[in-house]
């Protein structure tokens, strides 16, 4: 029972992390059709910012957390302004490849300007402790991940449903031109979406740093690939789909970890992807996606 | 050709569409013209360059074949493929496992499953078998990918890459995992690589100008119109995917046969970044673009790599700048997409550009 | 209030609008009529800035807005209800109206306006929390126009308000448009359906193939039998 509970918690925690990252991707994709491959590097910028701040003498974990989120949001908005704006109205493939290019540049800049080797970051280690509730030992980090993710998603939902800018973002996912006809500035809508996307990534970065205690140039890359896959199984472009896909991915991964015998552990990633692809075969539009036929009328 | 003209020309109405010897011949000539710069460079290297450059050239030619393979799918279907290195790897490891001499195998993979440790095939046979494996995996993955929308297809191609890489890395009994798989017979030299490059370029051109290629491009541009004409976009994407995979697999086979040693990380993101940048810079839409991109970036990267490893300028020793080539590659992609999405060669093949030039001068 | 000088819009090789000039005075309702493909929607899109003209000037409320961004034109008081309505299908009726008022800073006024439209169109009130995509065509049109009016524009461009709607609903919509005119709003109504558009028009422009064919009072248009037969449906 103990073991099962622990694994459930694992699955939830990983799922929450994937959901956060996947949501960040989905927010941007839903309004601009941009597949932001550079999202992982936003996580990287966030993590390296904490590393640099710690190297410069920062000791407060709280400030580190705030810095991580702020740096990520800033990085996201900057990427948009510098690299994505010129290709804003270009076809999806162009945007995707641009983002891929940005990802390559930034990863290599980390290698060039800091170091290709992992750097230790211990400032957030305090978040990763064991808490004891009677006979149960629980990782504080996992509990925090769940709570924070839940609150963040709640905040996001509130923002998207109650604030004008949030409504504008939702409207823009269907009809950007008409949003402009309301007098709402396109740049503001897009910058806000990217800032949200960045903030979500920053929160994920905090958890990753707390768990790993180190940062490396490819920190975000592998995670973002999985997040993309989560978006796709959830139904690309749908925010709920991204969150659901992320959770599902967490459960699949932990499930595989539990089910696979030790010597095949290395295949966990490959098998995860195989399962995802199988899901896609069964349901190409994703779990929560809608099958769009050519020529469908907009509902 | 205007978009509608292309679709009408591509209609599957049998012999009347003009798929006659005329078009095939023109395409063949076009392919040879496109391959001409490659041949010229190849001969120049054979005749004049020292041994060090021969090795570089071989690597560049492998890239060339990979990029041409990538172009076959991406240029015609307009879908970003980020997993082609998987097929390069399958081709390479296929021949590695099948044709490495038994003595070597006893050392590297004594516990290989299916009795493969006791198998040593003639390089040509091994190559053909490896390509068969490539074809099978391409057919399966292609069936899945051709059903998906552009973005989902791209991400599944990534998934394929990661799955294949993971298998190479973790199935140590067969693939030696992280360690280099050495001892592959080195049976390919520059002339053979040159011939292979030309053949691949011509095939790519033939496909692009064929009815299939035209129909695929038409359906990429306007899916509804193409479907109304009865064009089966899915099947065409599958064909392009498998052809692309086979070409990439061939590149892997040739690479293994000239390098003699391979390891999984050669067929992972480094290669994806580089070949993608080459194709984008040269121009996705044409085979000429693939060729151009490879030539330009191969030379450019060599230059940057020499700076990367620390060069001495005017007596000052510059430090190692690891990652500089990566930054350069990324910047190339970003700038290209922003300012010249069509790449250097745009929409016209080399022979088409030349004939335009001649026509203009003739007036 | 609005002066358009020598407007030209091209899409690649196709000239959608050719050297069009028109004027709308304060408080007028001007009709822009013409058959399908005449360039009417292109004109409206050029006026709101969603499309960049290849030539010409647009002067609104005394200011040259030819290079102003769409969002700023809207904030300046010029807005349009696009062809096909373009309500935000995934948002509720209420949320659509709220976005229409996005540029306003007076919550009391916004509430008053919202109540006004909900009273005027009871069906919007009934469906206030429903997704706008589930409304019928006529209801969507009422919503779209209300939404445009939420920003209290000085000039409203209506692009084919009758498109795809049953005649009875069209009459209702135009009743409403007439009422807007009596309240002093300046309007440009673009239509294929001439009959309704001519009910309240002070002046009429007729375009076809991107060029102006007639400019004058609606009464005189009835005399131009050639025009009526060739260019205008009913």
């Amino acid at each position: 029972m103990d073991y099962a509970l622990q694994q459930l918690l694992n699955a939830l925690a990983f799922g929450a992390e994937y959901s956060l990252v996947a949501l960040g991707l989905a927010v941007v994709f839903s309004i601009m059709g941009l597949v932001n491959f550079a999202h992982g590097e936003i996580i990287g910028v966030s993590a390296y910012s904490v590393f640099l701040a710690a190297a410069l003498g920062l000791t407060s974990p709280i400030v580190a957390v705030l810095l991580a989120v702020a740096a990520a949001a800033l990085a996201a908005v900057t990427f948009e302004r510098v690299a994505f704006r010129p290709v804003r109205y270009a076809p999806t493939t162009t945007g995707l490849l641009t983002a891929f290019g940005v990802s390559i540049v930034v990863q290599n800049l980390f290698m060039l300007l800091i170091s290709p080797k992992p750097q230790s970051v211990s400032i957030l280690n305090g978040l990763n402790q064991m808490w004891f509730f009677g006979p149960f030992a629980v990782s504080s980090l996992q509990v925090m991940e769940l709570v924070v993710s839940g609150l963040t998603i709640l905040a996001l939902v509130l923002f998207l449903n109650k604030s004008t800018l949030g409504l504008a973002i939702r409207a823009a996912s269907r009809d950007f031109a008409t949003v402009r006809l309301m007098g709402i500035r396109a740049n503001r809508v897009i910058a806000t979406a990217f800032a949200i996307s960045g903030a979500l990534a920053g929160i994920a970065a905090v958890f990753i740093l707390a768990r790993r205690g180190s940062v490396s140039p490819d920190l975000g890359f592998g995670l973002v690939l999985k997040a993309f896959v989560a978006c796709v199984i959830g139904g690309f472009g749908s925010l709920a789909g991204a969150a659901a896909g992320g959770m599902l991915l967490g459960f699949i991964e932990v499930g595989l970890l539990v089910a696979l015998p030790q010597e095949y552990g290395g295949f966990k990633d490959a098998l995860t992807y195989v399962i995802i692809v199988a899901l896609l075969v069964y349901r190409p539009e994703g779990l929560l996606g809608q099958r769009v036929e050519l020529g469908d009328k907009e509902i | 050709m205007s978009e509608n003209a292309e679709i009408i020309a591509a209609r599957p109405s049998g012999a009347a569409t003009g798929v006659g010897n005329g078009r095939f011949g023109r395409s063949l000539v076009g392919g040879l013209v496109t391959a001409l710069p490659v041949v010229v460079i190849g001969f120049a290297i054979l005749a004049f360059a020292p041994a060090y450059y021969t090795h570089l050239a071989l690597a560049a030619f492998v890239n060339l074949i990979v990029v041409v393979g990538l172009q076959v799918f991406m240029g015609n279907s307009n879908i970003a493929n980020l997993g082609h290195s998987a097929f390069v790897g399958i081709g390479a490891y296929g021949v590695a496992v099948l044709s490495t001499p038994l003595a070597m195998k006893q050392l590297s993979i004594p516990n290989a499953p299916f009795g493969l440790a006791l198998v040593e095939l003639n390089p040509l046979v091994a190559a053909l078998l490896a390509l068969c494996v490539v074809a099978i995996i391409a057919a399966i993955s292609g069936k899945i990918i051709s059903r998906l929308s552009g973005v989902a297809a791209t991400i599944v191609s990534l998934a394929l890459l990661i799955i294949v890489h993971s298998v190479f890395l973790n199935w140590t009994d067969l693939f030696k995992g992280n360690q280099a798989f050495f001892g592959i017979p080195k049976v390919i030299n520059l002339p053979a690589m040159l011939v292979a490059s030309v053949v691949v370029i011509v095939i790519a051109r033939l496909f692009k100008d064929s009815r299939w290629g035209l129909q695929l491009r038409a359906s990429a541009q306007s899916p509804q119109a193409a479907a109304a004409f009865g064009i089966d976009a899915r099947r065409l994407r599958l064909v392009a995917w498998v052809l692309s995979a086979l070409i990439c697999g061939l590149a892997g086979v040739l690479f293994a046969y000239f390098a003699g040693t391979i390891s999984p990380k050669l067929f992972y993101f480094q290669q994806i970044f580089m070949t993608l940048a080459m194709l984008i810079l040269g121009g996705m839409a044409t085979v000429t673009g693939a060729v151009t991109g490879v030539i330009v970036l191969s030379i450019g990267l060599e230059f940057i790599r020499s700076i990367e490893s620390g060069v001495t300028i005017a007596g000052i020793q510059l430090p190692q700048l690891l990652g500089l080539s990566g930054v350069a590659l990324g910047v190339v992609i970003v700038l290209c997409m922003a300012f010249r999405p069509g790449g250097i060669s745009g929409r016209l093949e080399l022979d088409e550009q030349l004939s335009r030039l001649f026509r203009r001068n003739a007036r | 209030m609005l002066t358009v000088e020598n407007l030209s819009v091209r899409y690649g090789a196709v000239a959608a609008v050719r050297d069009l000039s028109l004027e709308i005075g304060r408080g007028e309702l001007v009709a822009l009529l013409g058959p399908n493909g005449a360039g009417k929607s292109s004109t409206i899109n050029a006026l709101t800035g969603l499309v960049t003209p290849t030539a010409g000037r647009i002067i609104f409320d005394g200011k040259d807005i030819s290079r102003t961004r769409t969002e700023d034109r809207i904030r300046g008081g010029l807005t349009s209800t696009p062809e096909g309505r373009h309500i935000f299908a995934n948002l509720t009726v209420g949320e659509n109206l709220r976005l229409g008022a996005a540029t306003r800073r007076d919550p009391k006024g916004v509430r008053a306006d919202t109540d006004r439209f909900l009273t005027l169109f009871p069906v919007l009130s009934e469906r206030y929390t429903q997704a706008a995509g589930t409304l019928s065509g006529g209801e969507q049109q009422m919503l779209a126009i209300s939404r445009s009016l939420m920003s209290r524009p000085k000039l409203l461009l209506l692009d084919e308000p009758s498109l795809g709607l049953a005649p009875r609903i069209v009459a209702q919509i135009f009743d409403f448009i007439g009422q807007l005119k009596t309240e002093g709003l300046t309007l440009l109504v673009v239509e294929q359906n001439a009959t309704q558009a001519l009910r309240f028009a002070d002046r009429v422009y007729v375009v076809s193939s991107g060029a102006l064919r007639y400019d004058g009072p609606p009464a005189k248009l009835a005399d131009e039998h050639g025009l009526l037969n060739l260019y205008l449906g009913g």
Side-chain angles (χ1 to χ4, degrees):
Chain A
M1 198 63 244
D2 214 6
Y3 181 71
L5 219 56
Q6 182 58 58
Q7 293 308 334
L8 180 63
L9 196 58
N10 274 341
L12 286 172
F14 273 116
E17 205 171 279
Y18 288 138
S19 290
L20 279 182
V21 180
L23 267 174
L25 288 173
V27 165
V28 165
F29 182 78
S30 69
I31 63 165
M32 307 173 57
L34 175 69
V35 184
N36 188 6
F37 270 112
H39 196 70
E41 275 47 70
I42 295 175
I43 299 178
V45 166
S46 177
Y48 272 109
S49 303
V50 173
F51 163 71
L52 286 173
L56 288 174
L58 179 69
T59 47
S60 156
I62 298 178
V63 176
V65 169
L66 291 172
L67 173 66
V69 176
L74 189 62
V77 172
T78 309
F79 283 178
E80 192 276 319
R81 186 69 188 80
V82 170
F84 298 140
R85 193 176 286 193
V87 296
R88 190 182 281 182
Y89 300 113
T92 318
T93 311
T94 308
L96 189 155
L97 292 171
T98 305
F100 209 60
V102 171
S103 168
I104 299 172
V105 171
V106 175
Q107 272 185 65
N108 280 281
L109 279 178
F110 290 152
M111 283 203 283
L112 200 56
L113 299 174
I114 300 179
S115 166
K117 295 202 275 272
Q119 305 293 311
S120 123
V121 181
S122 51
I123 189 174
L124 291 174
N125 286 353
L127 292 174
N128 198 359
Q129 294 163 4
M130 293 308 278
W131 285 348
F132 296 95
F133 296 111
F136 296 117
V138 154
S139 155
S140 67
L141 186 61
Q142 286 185 329
V143 172
M144 269 190 263
E145 266 182 298
L146 281 176
V147 171
V148 170
S149 305
L151 288 174
T152 307
I153 293 179
L154 190 62
L156 185 63
V157 168
L158 279 174
F159 174 74
L160 288 176
N161 281 308
K162 299 291 174 207
S163 77
T164 309
L165 208 43
L167 287 178
I169 290 179
R170 279 176 56 212
S173 73
R174 294 291 191 97
D175 191 346
F176 211 122
T178 309
V179 170
R180 295 176 67 196
L181 271 183
M182 305 288 107
I184 302 173
R185 298 198 198 284
N187 286 341
R188 182 175 299 181
V189 171
I190 292 179
T192 307
F194 268 90
I196 293 175
S197 169
L200 291 169
I203 297 175
V206 167
F207 292 130
I208 296 172
L209 271 181
R211 192 176 52 240
R212 283 170 55 140
S214 71
V215 57
S216 59
D218 60 355
L219 181 79
F221 193 62
L223 178 59
V224 147
L225 289 179
K226 293 206 186 140
F228 268 120
V229 162
C231 279
V232 170
I233 22 166
F236 221 103
S238 144
L239 296 185
M247 264 305 168
L248 181 61
L249 188 59
F251 273 84
I252 292 178
E253 274 207 345
V254 172
L256 280 176
L257 260 176
V258 167
L260 279 178
Q262 191 76 323
E263 59 273 25
Y264 293 119
F267 285 107
K268 177 191 68 137
D269 274 354
L271 279 173
T272 309
Y273 284 115
V274 168
I275 295 178
I276 304 288
V277 172
L279 276 170
L280 274 179
V281 169
Y282 170 62
R283 226 186 127 79
E285 65 274 12
L287 292 174
L288 298 180
Q290 283 165 318
R291 182 160 294 181
V292 179
E293 305 288 339
L294 285 177
D296 256 358
K297 243 188 0 179
E298 184 78 63
I299 251 295
Chain B
M1 264 211 259
S2 84
E3 170 188 315
N4 288 325
E6 279 204 15
I7 296 178
I8 292 173
R11 249 181 321 147
S13 59
T17 50
V19 178
N21 284 328
R23 196 151 101 194
F24 180 84
R26 268 203 311 276
S27 186
L28 189 59
V29 168
L32 290 170
V33 170
T34 310
L36 204 53
V38 174
V39 173
V40 167
I41 294 179
F43 277 141
I45 294 179
L46 271 174
F48 302 118
Y52 168 71
Y53 280 111
T54 310
H55 193 88
L56 276 178
L58 279 166
F61 276 110
V62 169
N63 279 332
L64 175 63
I65 298 177
V66 174
V67 177
V68 170
L70 186 59
Q71 196 278 333
V72 165
F73 182 74
M74 272 182 70
N76 292 308
S77 71
N78 255 340
I79 297 176
N81 177 9
L82 298 175
H84 51 284
S85 291
F87 295 118
V88 182
I90 296 174
Y93 269 101
V95 296
V97 167
L98 290 172
S99 71
T100 305
L102 287 174
M104 287 291 174
K105 272 201 197 159
Q106 285 298 15
L107 288 173
S108 6
I109 50 168
N111 302 318
F114 319 124
L116 284 168
L118 303 168
V119 166
E120 178 188 336
L121 295 174
N122 159 306
L124 186 58
V125 175
L128 287 172
L129 275 178
L131 286 178
C132 281
V133 175
V134 168
I136 294 172
I137 298 182
I140 299 174
S141 56
K143 283 228 90 171
I144 300 171
I145 284 181
S146 60
R147 294 181 63 189
L148 299 171
S149 79
V151 172
T154 301
I155 289 175
V156 170
S157 74
L158 267 177
L160 178 68
L161 177 73
I162 295 173
I163 294 173
V164 169
H165 174 79
S166 180
V167 169
F168 289 153
L169 211 52
N170 289 295
W171 199 350
T172 43
D173 278 347
L174 188 54
F175 297 121
K176 272 195 83 171
N178 224 343
Q179 295 175 310
F181 196 124
F182 52 83
I184 310 169
K186 290 194 190 185
V187 294
I188 290 285
N189 55 9
L190 195 51
M193 194 72 91
L194 207 49
V195 169
S197 307
V198 173
V199 167
V200 159
I201 290 174
V202 170
I203 292 178
R205 264 309 286 279
L206 286 175
F207 178 75
K208 175 176 175 241
D209 296 332
S210 74
R211 200 174 68 205
W212 282 333
L214 266 177
Q215 287 181 0
L216 183 55
R217 284 202 301 289
S219 61
Q221 273 188 326
S222 38
Q224 267 176 297
F229 276 120
I231 294 175
D232 186 351
R234 267 189 211 173
R235 197 162 53 95
L236 292 169
R237 278 201 290 272
L238 176 61
V239 169
W241 177 261
V242 172
L243 181 59
S244 169
L246 282 171
I247 296 177
C248 289
L250 178 64
V253 165
L254 294 171
F255 177 76
Y257 280 151
F258 102 76
T261 308
I262 59 178
S263 74
K265 67 175 181 291
L266 288 172
F267 312 114
Y268 206 40
F269 282 106
Q270 268 300 85
Q271 185 180 73
I272 300 268
F273 293 156
M274 175 138 66
T275 47
L276 199 60
M278 287 173 173
L279 182 60
I280 290 175
L281 180 64
M284 273 201 279
T286 57
V287 183
T288 306
V291 172
T292 312
V294 173
I295 295 176
V296 171
L297 265 185
S298 297
I299 300 175
L301 276 178
E302 256 323 291
F303 179 63
I304 293 184
R305 275 207 202 104
S306 63
I307 303 181
E308 216 179 16
S309 45
V311 82
T312 316
I313 294 184
I316 306 170
Q317 170 77 14
L318 288 176
Q320 265 204 332
L321 292 171
L322 277 176
L324 192 62
S325 56
V327 173
L329 274 180
V331 168
V332 160
I333 295 181
V334 173
L335 289 179
C336 239
M337 288 285 109
F339 297 118
R340 210 182 151 90
I344 295 178
S345 65
R347 302 208 67 89
L348 294 176
E349 298 280 357
L350 184 60
D351 49 305
E352 289 163 3
Q353 288 177 8
L354 287 174
S355 64
R356 258 206 190 176
L357 205 63
F358 289 145
R359 260 188 287 136
R360 228 177 267 158
N361 289 341
R363 261 191 236 128
Chain C
M1 170 163 265
L2 178 76
T3 310
V4 177
E5 293 172 3
N6 307 107
L7 185 72
S8 289
V9 180
R10 300 180 75 89
Y11 301 117
V14 178
V17 178
R18 275 179 284 186
D19 207 33
L20 183 66
S21 298
L22 50 85
E23 275 220 31
I24 306 176
R26 197 172 298 267
E28 279 193 317
L29 190 155
V30 171
L32 179 62
L33 307 176
N36 219 0
K40 311 188 298 294
S41 282
S42 305
T43 307
I44 297 242
N45 287 332
L47 289 177
T48 51
L50 288 178
V51 156
T52 312
T54 42
R57 280 210 316 163
I58 304 167
I59 299 154
F60 174 63
D61 213 14
K63 285 188 284 248
D64 185 344
I65 60 167
S66 313
R67 289 201 209 301
T68 319
R69 261 193 285 207
T70 301
E71 298 93 320
D72 295 319
R73 295 190 202 190
I74 311 298
R75 285 162 187 255
L78 167 75
T79 195
S80 84
T81 311
E83 180 187 356
R85 296 170 280 282
H86 283 263
I87 44 97
F88 299 121
N90 57 334
L91 266 51
T92 66
V93 168
E95 289 168 344
N96 267 274
L97 290 174
R98 184 165 161 194
L99 278 185
T103 51
R104 286 176 61 178
R105 295 271 163 270
D106 55 329
K108 279 226 192 84
V110 170
R111 240 184 322 232
D113 284 351
T114 314
D115 289 334
R116 180 187 166 215
F117 292 122
L118 293 181
T119 322
L120 206 51
F121 300 119
V123 72
L124 291 184
S125 178
E126 281 165 36
R127 302 200 196 280
Y128 192 72
T129 51
Q130 260 181 264
T134 59
L135 268 56
S136 75
E139 292 162 356
Q140 287 188 2
Q141 187 62 280
M142 294 176 206
L143 175 59
I145 300 181
S146 305
R147 185 183 61 181
S148 301
L149 291 169
M150 288 296 293
S151 62
R152 291 218 182 138
K154 299 179 193 162
L155 169 60
L156 178 61
L157 313 167
L158 288 161
D159 197 346
E160 302 216 34
S162 73
L163 192 65
L165 300 181
R168 190 171 55 93
I169 312 279
V170 171
Q172 267 183 307
I173 303 271
F174 274 93
D175 284 340
F176 178 51
I177 292 175
Q179 192 181 336
L180 290 173
K181 176 177 191 309
T182 18
E183 289 170 5
L185 183 60
T186 313
L187 292 145
L188 173 68
V189 179
V190 161
E191 261 299 342
Q192 284 183 60
N193 180 342
T195 324
Q196 288 289 342
L198 291 173
R199 277 168 66 189
F200 304 103
D202 294 306
R203 268 182 312 113
V204 179
Y205 291 97
V206 179
V207 290
S208 118
S209 303
L212 194 58
R213 308 282 172 195
Y214 175 81
D215 164 13
K220 282 253 203 81
L221 184 58
D223 299 333
E224 306 266 342
H225 290 298
L227 265 183
L228 283 174
N229 287 333
L230 273 175
Y231 297 132
L232 305 175

